[in-house]
Amino acid sequence: MARHRKPSRPVFRWRRGPALALAVTGAASATAVLDGAALADPQPTLAEVEDRVDTLHRQAEEATERYNAATERAETAREELDRLRDEAARRTDELNDTRGLLGAHATARYRAGGLPPSVQLAFSSDPEGFLTGASVLDRSGDRQTRAVRAVQQQVRDIERLLAEAEEQTERLRDAEDTAREERQTVEARLAEAEELMDTLTARERERLLREEGTGGGPAAGPGAYPGAGALPDVPAPGARASAAVAFAYAQLGKPYGWGATGPHAYDCSGLTQAAWAAAGVSLPRTSQAQSGAGTPVSRDQLAPGDLVFYYPSVSHVGIYVGNGQIIHASRSGAPVRFAPVDSMPFAGAVRPA
């Protein structure tokens, strides 16, 4: 930073009148400007910008995983709601069929001289109230009585299904609300990070994008690290692990997309889920859930295909590919790429079955 030379003392000619007033006013204005400059907030350093951007992306990723969990809950609730509605409709059709049979029998009995109490029950607007006097059924053993009891059970089943459907609708609504809130959090964090990135020069921005999540290593892609493009240093512990690793390699260079599960973009857990799906293994959607979907392995026992988790919140996951490297979808603005396994705080690892 250039040093400011101390200005020499100005020589004033004391004059009376407007000139003196103007000189005094000018001096006061200069003092105000200097005071304002002294009080202005200093521009953040490059290191401070990098730290803040990294924090914002960590927060966005944590919110992304919560968003993924909420959308998964919403999908499960939606599927269960559809099942309950279909079941209720089926039971209603059965009830109508049963009432139709009873109706045909009732018509015949009416012509013969009136309806028996059991058939009156089937057509009652309040079957439960009618059945409080169920002694009539205890004294009757004909087929109509059994049919009426079937109607009673069908009505109860339908009421139960409708109550469950209402509860499931509430769960769906809550999950969708949570997903919406987490989406807003992600968008806010990413927008703030992008504003900070815009304060950097093109060279600083490029360096930050290159270094973040890679421990300061070179740009992503096969061969970006020593031995990264080579075969794993140890064999994968099975054909499925080999298939998962091969899939991860094939995704290198594809963009990060929060909430994305491929095939054109991925977030961190979306990539690992898709990799193991290609190997025929179904993993949960989020990194936290994936951390319990396999046999725990220690850092020194990692083998290709293992899932490696990071940060105390277990908010990030990559797939180990050997040679001390993982492949991961790191963050918005960066592609799927290699990273040293120790480039982020290690939280654990599992070997999917």
Side-chain angles (χ1 to χ4, degrees), residues 232-246 276 302-306 320-321 351:
D233 51 358
V234 294
R240 289 182 171 178
S242 294
V245 169
W276 273 95
L302 288 174
D306 291 348
Y320 186 71
V321 294
R351 185 166 299 160

Side-chain angles (χ1 to χ4, degrees), residues 36 41 85 89 116 145 149 174 177 198 204 206 218 225 240 248-249 251 272 310 312 314 340 348:
D41 292 335
R85 285 172 172 170
T145 300
R149 286 175 174 165
D174 289 345
D177 288 345
D198 287 342
E204 290 169 340
E206 180 182 358
Y225 302 92
R240 289 182 171 178
Y249 266 80
Q251 311 315 305
T272 51
Y310 296 97
V314 195

